[in-house]
């Protein structure tokens, strides 16, 4: 019984934990377009078309329409310019009421919020009117809000201004980044890309493209198509792998989901084999008990018990022991998952959330247990049936 119970306990706990990890990563990546690519320009490593190696290439705002026109698998593209983040440039000094601090500054389009959705605690995100009007509006991270405003009293920052590079910007929103999740941090401020371009005289140069592929499209294929088009436009060798850098979130997310699926499959295999070992142990114990109850079986046969009645008794014992121990293991497993859930309820840093078990899988495991109990119980049952009454009565 311990063997079968332990098998079911492992099955439930491991399967529930694997689901909890899956839910945790889903929560971690919630608000993100997981079928996306982040792409930026670097330097060439191969001389080509009369240009030397080491040449700097650039992304341009006009590339957005080019890529969308040439590559039908693209759903949408969000261009961004940044200071103090992935570009390696220093951040920008911001101030309010005599307080000064340096934070990351990003010029963005409204569509950028579809790729990495910000959890707003005040106001709204940048909209199309802000971009078309080159407005001096800003959406700040929670740490910037805590520094410049009275967060303890939950001061409303909307409509108030902060100074960025000598220019006053109206605060239109405050966002919070979940700890342990996301590519942004709450030390970042977002302004319209058009305003950013004027501030830094960036022209139509872009630091990074966030590209989202259409559903059911291989993100890696889109990544290669984008790089091929950009290489052709910028006279870069097709073999040059250094001209454009990229991070394929879709590819990494696919690896992650494959790992979680493998964990669930491994859990099913381990749990099933452990249950099988326990059922075999029950069969062995029943073989011993049949031998110890030889005289009892002989008396029953002598009093008129049919072979089928003796066989059914042993089979019933096998099924009852298997099923009851399995149910006990299931209950203990669910109890442990409830403890795991309580301990990780508000732990955003750890990707584990709401561990659950598919009852269909559990009932399937229970059915397999009962069937195995019947099949393996046949061995001691047949041994009991073969005992002749006269020999059973003679035994001690």
């Amino acid at each position: 019984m311990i063997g079968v119970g332990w098998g079911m306990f492992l099955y439930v706990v491991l399967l529930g934990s694997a689901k909890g990890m899956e839910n945790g990563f889903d929560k971690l990546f919630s608000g993100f377009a997981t079928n996306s690519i982040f792409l930026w320009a670097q330097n060439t490593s191969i001389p080509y078309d009369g240009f030397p190696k080491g040449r700097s290439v650039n992304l341009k705002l006009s590339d957005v329409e080019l890529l969308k026109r040439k590559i039908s698998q693209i759903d949408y593209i969000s261009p961004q310019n940044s200071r103090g983040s992935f570009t390696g440039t220093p951040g920008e000094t911001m101030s309010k009421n005599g307080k000064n601090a340096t934070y990351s500054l990003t010029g963005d389009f409204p569509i950028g919020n579809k790729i990495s959705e910000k959890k707003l605690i005040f106001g709204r995100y940048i909209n199309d009117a802000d971009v078309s009007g080159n407005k001096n509006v800003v959406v700040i991270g929670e740490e910037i809000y805590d520094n410049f405003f009275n967060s303890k009293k939950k001061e409303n920052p909307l409509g108030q201004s902060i100074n960025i590079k000598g220019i006053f910007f109206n605060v239109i929103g405050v966002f919070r980044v979940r700890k342990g999740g996301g590519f942004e941090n709450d030390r970042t401020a977002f302004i319209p890309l058009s305003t950013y371009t004027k501030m830094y005289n960036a022209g139509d140069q872009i630091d990074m493209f966030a590209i989202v592929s259409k559903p059911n499209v291989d993100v890696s294929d889109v990544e290669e198509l984008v790089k091929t088009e950009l290489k052709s436009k910028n006279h870069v060798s097709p073999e040059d792998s250094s001209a454009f850098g990229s991070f394929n979130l879709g590819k990494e997310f696919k690896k992650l989901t494959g790992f979680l699926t493998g964990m669930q499959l491994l859990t099913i295999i381990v749990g099933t084999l452990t249950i099988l070992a326990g059922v075999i142990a029950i069969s062995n114990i029943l073989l011993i008990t049949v031998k110890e109850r030889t005289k009892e079986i002989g008396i029953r046969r002598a009093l008129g018990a049919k072979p089928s009645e003796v066989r059914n008794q042993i089979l019933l014992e096998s099924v009852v022991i298997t099923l009851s121990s399995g149910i006990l293991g299931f209950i203990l497993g669910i109890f442990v998952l409830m403890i795991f859930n309580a301990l990780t309820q508000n732990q955003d840093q750890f990707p584990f959330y709401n561990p659950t078990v598919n009852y269909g899988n559990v009932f399937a495991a229970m059915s397999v247990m009962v069937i195995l109990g019947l099949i393996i119980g046949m061995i001691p049952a047949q041994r009991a049936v073969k005992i002749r009454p006269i020999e059973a009565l003679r035994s001690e």
Side-chain angles (χ1 to χ4, degrees), residues 105-123:
L105 180 66
T106 297
D108 199 10
F109 276 110
I111 201 169
N113 202 38
K114 289 179 65 178
I115 295 174
S116 176
E117 187 178 357
K118 284 75 175 174
K119 183 179 180 182
L120 293 166
I121 54 178
F122 288 102

Side-chain angles (χ1 to χ4, degrees), residues 101 109 131 140 255 266 345 388 394:
F109 276 110
V131 176
I140 60 175
K255 287 180 183 177
L266 181 63
Q345 193 70 43
R388 295 173 61 189
R394 196 183 297 130

Side-chain angles (χ1 to χ4, degrees), residues 88-100:
T89 55
E92 191 57 74
T93 300
M94 305 180 191
S95 62
K96 179 177 171 56
N97 297 333
K99 287 185 178 180
N100 294 281

Side-chain angles (χ1 to χ4, degrees), residues 30-33 38 78-80 82 106-126 139-142 173-178 181-186 188-191 208 210:
S30 63
F32 281 89
F38 299 89
S78 173
Q80 284 188 351
S82 297
T106 297
D108 199 10
F109 276 110
I111 201 169
N113 202 38
K114 289 179 65 178
I115 295 174
S116 176
E117 187 178 357
K118 284 75 175 174
K119 183 179 180 182
L120 293 166
I121 54 178
F122 288 102
R124 63 172 177 86
Y125 197 64
I126 297 164
V139 180
I140 60 175
E142 189 175 23
V174 179
F175 69 91
R176 174 180 295 157
V177 172
R178 185 167 47 249
F183 295 102
E184 288 96 12
N185 56 62
D186 50 16
T188 303
F190 289 87
I191 63 175
M208 184 189 75

Side-chain angles (χ1 to χ4, degrees), residues 8 49 166 170 181 195 218 247 258 324:
M8 179 55 73
D49 205 14
N170 284 331
T195 307
D218 192 327
F247 175 74
S324 58

Side-chain angles (χ1 to χ4, degrees), residues 50-69:
F51 293 97
K53 73 174 183 178
R55 175 171 58 98
S56 176
V57 291
N58 298 298
L59 297 175
K60 296 184 181 298
L61 193 58
S62 56
D63 293 336
V64 174
E65 293 304 320
L66 172 72
L67 294 174
K68 289 174 71 175
R69 186 174 68 252

Side-chain angles (χ1 to χ4, degrees), residues 83-85 89-93 102-105 200:
R83 293 182 65 83
S85 55
T89 55
E92 191 57 74
T93 300
T102 301
Y103 297 108
S104 299
L105 180 66
Y200 295 99

Side-chain angles (χ1 to χ4, degrees), residues 12-28 260 263 336-356:
V12 170
V13 171
L14 292 177
L15 201 62
S17 298
K19 186 63 177 177
M21 287 187 67
E22 183 181 338
N23 292 339
F25 280 111
D26 286 343
K27 182 181 178 184
L28 194 66
L260 294 174
M263 275 190 61
V336 169
L337 290 180
M338 290 172 65
I339 294 174
F340 285 172
N341 186 48
L343 292 175
T344 58
Q345 193 70 43
N346 298 311
Q347 298 294 324
D348 288 336
Q349 296 90 338
F350 185 66
F352 193 89
Y353 175 73
N354 190 26
T356 55

